[in-house]
């Protein structure tokens, strides 16, 4: 018979692999009651091994910090480039785009074919500068307070600028995504701006590498079913992909 210590270690290992596990799934897996699993999760949370969330638990490392864009850009570089390239193939001629800020968005903007005729709206100063000398692109830089971590604008002025137009496609990144918490980012201000972007776009496309699965930021953007396409990498488990696709979201593996 498995010991309590072995079961709890197995719970940690399972959640580490999958990002999230529900009480019911764990109870079935270990053939114990839900009360027993809840007691295990309380113990593991006290030890800093997991964080209880939405009828189950996520990894203790799932919460995210608001880091500078340059620091974020150093992680999962190859995955971000592959995701950016796959997303860039979704841009057509002519197209009207909203491109949010972030390291993955900069990689995406760099991967876009600059010979295409495009209208581009963005809060990111870096992304605007990538297209400012391109004769085929019309760039709308959203105004507002400049946020140093991402060199992008936020706040009511940036949000007000989105009232002036509609775009075919919105591309944005997230700090975390899962079925229970939805799409999240590091700050409320960024979440507010991204929600406004969603209202201005016909098709909503999220770029997120698989390490973001079952992580969560402070600001909630929307539910997963509110987006059309998720572009990610093969690190996303088949189980997670099936669950996300059941919500009506197209999952593209770069």
């Amino acid at each position: 018979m498995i010991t309590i210590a072995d079961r709890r270690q197995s719970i940690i290992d399972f959640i580490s692999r999958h990002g999230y596990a529900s009480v019911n799934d764990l109870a079935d897996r270990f053939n114990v009651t839900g009360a027993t699993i809840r007691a295990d999760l309380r113990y593991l949370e006290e030890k800093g091994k997991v964080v209880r969330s939405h009828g189950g638990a996520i990894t203790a490392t799932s919460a995210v910090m608001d880091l500078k864009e340059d620091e974020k850009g150093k992680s999962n570089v190859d995955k971000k480039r592959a995701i950016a390239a796959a997303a860039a193939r979704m841009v057509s001629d002519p197209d009207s785009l909203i491109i949010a800020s972030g390291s993955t968005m900069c990689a995406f903007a760099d991967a876009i074919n600059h010979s295409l005729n495009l209208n581009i709206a963005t809060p990111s100063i870096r992304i605007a500068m990538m297209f400012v000398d391109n004769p085929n692109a019309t760039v709308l830089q959203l105004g507002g307070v400049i946020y140093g971590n991402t060199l992008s604008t936020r706040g009511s002025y940036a949000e007000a600028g989105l009232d002036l137009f509609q775009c075919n496609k919105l591309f944005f990144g997230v700090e975390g995504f899962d079925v229970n918490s939805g799409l999240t980012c590091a700050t409320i201000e960024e979440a507010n701006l991204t929600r406004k972007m969603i209202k201005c776009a016909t098709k909503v496309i999220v770029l997120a590498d698989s390490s973001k699965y079952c992580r969560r930021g402070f600001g909630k953007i929307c539910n997963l079913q509110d987006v059309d396409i998720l572009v990610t990498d093969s690190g996303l488990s088949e189980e997670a992909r099936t669950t996300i696709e059941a919500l009506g979201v197209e999952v593209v593996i770069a």
Side-chain angles (χ1 to χ4, degrees):
M1 179 180 293
I2 186 172
T3 66
I4 294 175
D6 287 342
R7 183 179 66 242
R8 288 173 174 171
Q9 183 59 52
S10 295
I11 289 172
I12 294 171
D13 294 341
F14 183 84
I15 293 174
S16 296
R17 288 195 305 272
H18 296 274
Y20 169 84
S22 70
V23 169
N24 290 338
D25 287 343
L26 292 172
D28 290 341
R29 183 177 184 83
F30 296 104
N31 195 30
V32 294
T33 67
T36 296
I37 293 298
R38 282 188 286 271
D40 287 339
L41 296 180
R42 282 194 297 271
Y43 173 85
L44 294 173
E45 185 173 51
E46 289 171 0
K47 296 298 182 181
K49 302 298 185 181
V50 303
V51 176
R52 287 183 292 162
S53 174
H54 303 290
I58 58 178
T59 59
T61 58
S62 63
V64 299
M65 297 176 63
D66 187 20
L67 301 175
K68 289 186 177 181
E69 189 173 286
D70 289 341
E71 295 177 42
K72 295 178 183 177
K74 296 175 183 177
S75 64
N76 298 315
V77 174
D78 292 339
K79 290 180 179 179
K80 287 179 179 178
R81 286 175 179 167
I83 289 168
R89 291 192 287 271
M90 300 177 186
V91 179
S92 56
D93 187 354
D95 232 338
S96 295
L97 314 175
I98 304 175
I99 305 176
S101 61
S103 60
T104 304
M105 291 302 100
C106 286
F108 163 67
D110 188 54
I112 292 174
N113 182 347
H114 283 219
S115 68
L116 301 178
N117 293 292
L118 302 172
N119 292 313
I120 298 172
T122 182
S124 170
I125 295 171
R126 286 174 171 163
I127 291 173
M129 291 301 295
M130 289 181 185
F131 292 92
V132 70
D133 292 327
N134 186 339
N136 300 310
T138 300
V139 181
L140 172 60
Q141 172 70 65
L142 297 177
V145 177
I146 296 175
Y147 182 68
N149 273 13
T150 56
L151 277 182
S152 64
T153 55
R154 295 183 183 178
S156 58
Y157 288 107
E159 293 172 29
L162 292 165
D163 291 331
L164 302 175
F165 56 86
Q166 284 288 125
C167 281
N168 301 108
K169 297 159 188 166
L170 161 64
F171 295 86
F172 71 98
V174 296
E175 296 295 344
F177 68 98
D178 66 66
V179 174
N180 296 293
S181 299
L183 304 173
T184 56
C185 58
T187 68
I188 292 174
E189 293 80 7
E190 184 181 358
N192 289 341
L193 181 60
T194 307
R195 279 198 301 274
K196 190 69 178 288
M197 291 176 179
I198 290 172
K199 294 180 180 179
C200 299
T202 303
K203 182 168 287 188
V204 178
I205 303 165
V206 180
L207 281 59
D209 67 76
S210 58
S211 71
K212 305 291 180 65
Y213 184 62
C214 282
R215 297 180 69 192
R216 57 181 180 180
F218 182 63
K220 179 170 181 177
I221 299 169
C222 63
N223 295 320
L224 258 174
Q225 55 264 44
D226 295 327
V227 307
D228 298 297
I229 301 173
L230 168 67
V231 187
T232 187
D233 59 80
S234 59
L236 186 71
S237 70
E238 190 61 34
E239 178 185 3
R241 177 176 181 173
T242 301
T243 301
I244 293 170
E245 288 179 332
L247 297 175
V249 180
E250 179 184 352
V251 178
V252 174
I253 303 297

